[in-house]
Amino acid sequence: MSLDNQDALRVLHAAFTGAGPHDGTDLIRRFYDRWFAIDPSIRDLFPADLDGQRAAFGHAMEWVYGELVAQRAQEPVAFLAQLGRDHRKYGVTPAHYDTLRQALYATLRSQLAHAWTDTVEHAAHQSLNLITGVMSGAADAEGGPAWWDGTVIEHHRVSRDLAVVRLQLDRPMPYHPGQYVKGEIPQCPRRWRYLTPAIPSEESGAIEFHVRAVLGGMVSTAIVGETRPGDRWRLSSPHGALHVDRDAGDVLMVAGSTGLTPLRTIIMDLCRWAVNPRVHLFFGARYPCELYDLPTLWEIASHNPWLSVTPVSEYTGDPPWAADYPDVTPPRGLHVRQTGQLPEVVARYGGWGDRQILICGGPNMVRATKAALIAKGAPPEHIQHDPLSS
């Protein structure tokens, strides 16, 4: 009676999904209430508004238990190990994992009530020991810094809701092109937001981010509207596996708005090599003026014949407010700008089935582009994108 008992694991999985007689959201809320009661010091590690934290933890537990039900342990173990390494930035200690396990076990037992059997209890003990043990062990084994601090040295408002921010880190951060980090800014303490470096890792400690203000997003809005030189930021360890295999054939890249940043970083890194696969980048936005990085892309393409860039905008002209921001019209030589929805424009060019495909941007755009390419014959296994949170 252990993690091999799929029926018992299904009961635990249903508690998080809400598929059973209980509400998964209520379970997560009760868990946090119980955890903070066991150890009140935990509360100071989280933002005042816990909605986002609760949702993220609930999604993570739902996925982990779903994988355990399917008897796939390798990916959950790797995920939990990365989660443990990343949680060092919050100041999480081994003692916190002990109280987490106690609180989650007690909450599951209370929530499941009549469905709680000896086999479910064994599965709960085994799975919670796995979850907290892997996270705590990975954190203890990690020899690198728990976080990186840096100072904002430049902040450029390049569009109405978009800013380029450059920082000087106190120590260089090693990361692979295409990876992302989490960032905490002084305007929103304990609220961590995903950020993707827009340049390859620099030994000097220089790093750059392109951030678009999201409706209702406190951190992104503060970065675009309130960040100033001198602000001190804190960054987590890097995550993600988006990449280009230089030996695996030509490449299609599709970027929506600031989804350009990981692809831009990969392209910049490829410039180190004399010979590369052909790369065709589609860069899309609502208005032409929001194709904010076209001059840089033109500069790279003019010196690297393996790179082709097709700008795409949903509208043919710019709104009146565009006059307040820099003109992003590139010199002649870049592909002619196309008009339309980015997924539709990309699909019109062909099936792309023989390419490595990288898609970055908002979740809806990524899903639509992926579906359009698969419908045109692109193998799903050729398509890369970061995990979609919504």
Side-chain angles (χ1 to χ4, degrees), residues 6-270:
Q6 291 175 278
D7 289 337
L9 290 169
R10 285 191 184 95
V11 174
L12 297 170
H13 182 234
F16 291 102
T17 63
H22 307 286
D23 180 1
T25 303
D26 183 57
L27 182 146
I28 297 299
R29 181 183 57 78
R30 292 187 178 197
F31 155 68
Y32 276 102
D33 289 345
R34 191 183 299 268
W35 195 19
F36 297 155
I38 293 174
D39 186 354
S41 68
I42 292 287
R43 185 64 184 86
D44 292 337
L45 302 180
F46 297 99
D49 181 1
L50 277 173
D51 288 347
Q53 176 66 31
R54 291 193 190 107
F57 183 75
H59 288 315
M61 290 299 98
E62 179 181 343
W63 179 79
V64 167
Y65 274 99
E67 293 294 291
L68 293 178
V69 168
Q71 299 293 287
R72 295 189 296 261
Q74 184 174 353
E75 288 193 22
V77 166
F79 168 77
L80 291 167
Q82 180 60 59
L83 207 59
R85 289 189 290 267
D86 185 52
H87 272 53
R88 295 180 306 144
K89 69 179 184 291
Y90 298 119
V92 174
T93 67
H96 292 148
Y97 288 111
D98 290 339
T99 56
L100 182 151
R101 183 176 62 249
Q102 295 171 30
L104 195 49
Y105 172 82
T107 307
L108 282 166
R109 182 164 187 167
S110 172
Q111 188 88 344
L112 290 173
H114 298 302
W116 193 265
T117 64
D118 289 343
T119 55
V120 172
E121 181 170 2
H122 283 296
H125 276 301
Q126 294 275 347
S127 58
L128 293 177
N129 285 342
L130 172 70
I131 290 168
T132 57
V134 169
M135 291 179 68
S136 180
D140 287 343
E142 180 61 37
W147 59 76
W148 281 260
D149 289 331
T151 302
V152 174
I153 57 174
E154 294 182 53
H155 178 276
H156 299 289
R157 192 78 170 262
V158 296
S159 185
R160 183 174 60 172
D161 57 359
L162 199 154
V164 172
V165 185
R166 299 188 178 101
L167 290 88
Q168 178 63 49
L169 300 180
D170 295 349
R171 54 176 173 250
M173 175 193 289
Y175 55 85
H176 299 295
Q179 287 192 300
Y180 55 88
V181 300
K182 280 188 174 181
E184 181 190 35
I185 65 172
Q187 292 85 356
C188 302
R190 300 193 300 278
R191 289 183 178 274
W192 293 78
R193 186 190 190 276
Y194 287 112
L195 301 166
T196 303
I199 58 174
S201 180
E202 290 271 357
E203 292 184 2
S204 67
I207 196 167
E208 176 178 315
F209 299 104
H210 302 173
V211 181
R212 182 174 182 178
V214 177
L215 184 64
M218 292 181 62
V219 179
S220 63
T221 300
I223 290 174
V224 173
E226 302 173 26
T227 293
R228 298 291 182 268
D231 285 356
R232 295 283 288 172
W233 286 19
R234 176 161 291 180
L235 306 177
S236 75
S237 299
H239 303 263
L242 202 69
H243 71 284
V244 164
D245 184 344
R246 293 181 57 250
D247 298 319
D250 293 338
V251 183
L252 167 67
M253 295 182 173
V254 184
S257 187
T258 53
L260 174 68
T261 52
L263 305 183
R264 178 191 201 262
T265 306
I266 292 172
I267 289 169
M268 286 183 167
D269 186 67
L270 288 174

Side-chain angles (χ1 to χ4, degrees), residues 313-375:
S313 65
E314 295 180 21
Y315 299 97
T316 57
D318 287 327
W321 53 258
D324 297 332
Y325 299 98
D327 182 8
V328 298
T329 305
R332 291 180 59 85
L334 210 63
H335 281 196
V336 175
R337 179 171 52 84
Q338 304 293 308
T339 304
Q341 296 289 328
L342 188 55
E344 298 171 2
V345 173
V346 174
R348 284 205 304 263
Y349 273 67
W352 307 101
D354 60 340
R355 305 291 181 105
Q356 302 177 69
I357 301 173
L358 285 69
I359 310 173
C360 298
N364 292 336
M365 185 281 288
V366 172
R367 291 192 185 96
T369 303
K370 183 177 181 179
L373 291 172
I374 291 174

Side-chain angles (χ1 to χ4, degrees), residues 371-388:
L373 291 172
I374 291 174
K376 294 282 285 190
E381 61 271 19
H382 287 190
I383 301 175
Q384 299 179 55
H385 58 79
D386 285 328
L388 301 176

